Amino acid sequence: MFFFSFGAQQTFLVGWPMMLIPIGYFFFGAILIGALTMRMASREGLSQSLISRGLGFGSRGAALTSFIYAVNFIYYFLFEGTIVSHAVAYYFNIEINSFGGILIFAGIGLATIAFVWRGMYAMSVLQTWGFPIFVGLLIWALLELQGQGGGVGPEGWAATGVSGGAAMWTAMSFANGQMIFQGLMATDYGRFAAKNIRYRGTAMIMILELIPMFVVIFLGAFLGASLVGQFGAEKAQDPGFVFVHLLGLAGVIFVVVTQIRINVMNL
């Protein structure tokens, strides 16, 4: 769900085709960083924090690396939890900035912790059934959008504010954070690659990881640009509003299942 929002944000900041600059920077930069760190991780069999210790940062440096990594994930949990709470509150007509909205947010967090408590069993179930639910409901949402008058093509993906150097700088900043995070996160599963893997192989792993991610990014731009006229840029870049608007209760299920699935995996 985060990458639906990311795509819409890029569109609303700089529009088409300027959005291809930060998105392309994200794509090729993540491939480069991921290919380098993944090959190192495959040889050592270590996670990011342990590799940083072995590279001369020492135990304190590795602890700092882990702390930065953890803080980054906490922001993801907050952002993604907000998407879920928005979806539930929007459907049941509950004010977001209210005690009821806070209870929704807390309830989603507790549900996620309950799944994490079951460990790998819960993650296996969510990964097995979460993905087909995601694909099926996403296709349904796109069909519903077509039934409501159709979507807007790239020629209609326009910036909603004053585009220029400041907007491009913000778009590049968003892309830079994702480029580094996705590239370094590759270390966590790249350490399971064959020890004799070459840079061509690690780059291909990164490309295969990024392709579905970027499909979602461009779908986010498409959905955001198509719905911005109905309820403004703030809601049009929030999947919690977008999918409930298109699917109703099924949209709530879509958002909740998808976000709990990814947060359980991250935890």
Side-chain angles (χ1 to χ4, degrees):
M1 289 289 158
F2 169 83
F3 290 105
F4 284 115
S5 184
F6 179 84
Q9 285 174 343
Q10 294 290 323
T11 303
F12 297 156
L13 280 168
V14 295
W16 179 272
M18 297 302 291
M19 61 184 289
L20 294 177
I21 296 174
I23 288 178
Y25 169 71
F26 171 10
F27 184 77
F28 292 107
I31 291 173
L32 177 62
I33 294 173
L36 293 172
T37 60
M38 196 182 301
R39 189 172 185 214
M40 187 189 308
S42 68
R43 291 181 173 183
E44 303 295 336
L46 301 175
S47 64
Q48 183 66 39
S49 57
L50 292 176
I51 284 179
S52 67
R53 177 172 181 169
L55 288 173
F57 289 93
S59 59
R60 292 180 181 178
L64 180 60
T65 301
S66 298
F67 177 75
I68 294 170
Y69 210 43
V71 169
N72 200 45
F73 268 111
I74 289 170
Y75 276 105
Y76 271 112
F77 295 146
L78 290 171
F79 184 84
E80 292 168 346
T82 300
I83 292 174
V84 183
S85 61
H86 285 180
V88 177
Y90 183 49
Y91 180 78
F92 290 103
N93 198 28
I94 298 172
E95 183 66 31
I96 293 170
N97 297 317
S98 67
F99 183 69
I102 294 172
L103 289 179
I104 293 171
F105 192 97
I108 295 296
L110 290 173
T112 303
I113 292 173
F115 278 109
V116 172
W117 202 270
R118 298 297 306 278
M120 293 299 292
Y121 173 78
M123 193 174 80
S124 177
V125 171
L126 289 169
Q127 291 299 318
T128 300
W129 298 105
F131 182 70
I133 291 173
F134 175 86
V135 172
L137 290 178
L138 176 59
I139 293 172
W140 183 8
L142 295 174
L143 292 174
E144 285 292 325
L145 179 62
Q146 293 302 314
Q148 293 182 14
V152 175
E155 68 282 355
W157 298 1
T160 57
V162 179
S163 58
M168 178 58 74
W169 185 261
T170 304
M172 291 295 290
S173 177
F174 288 161
N176 191 66
Q178 284 306 306
M179 176 195 74
I180 295 170
F181 181 66
Q182 297 300 326
L184 292 180
M185 194 166 67
T187 308
D188 289 342
Y189 51 85
R191 60 196 174 104
F192 299 110
K195 288 188 176 182
N196 60 348
I197 194 170
R198 305 177 72 85
Y199 287 122
R200 185 184 302 173
T202 55
M204 184 56 63
I205 292 173
M206 281 303 302
I207 291 171
L208 293 174
E209 177 211 348
L210 291 172
I211 285 175
M213 186 184 298
F214 276 73
V215 169
V216 172
I217 287 173
F218 283 105
L219 283 174
F222 170 70
L223 290 166
S226 300
L227 296 173
V228 66
Q230 296 187 32
F231 48 38
E234 185 176 353
K235 288 186 177 180
Q237 69 183 11
D238 189 330
F241 294 114
V242 168
F243 290 108
V244 176
H245 174 77
L246 293 172
L247 300 177
L249 181 59
V252 177
I253 296 171
F254 182 30
V255 173
V256 170
V257 170
T258 301
Q259 291 305 93
I260 287 182
R261 170 179 174 264
I262 192 66
N263 274 339
V264 168
M265 183 177 73
N266 286 340
L267 280 169

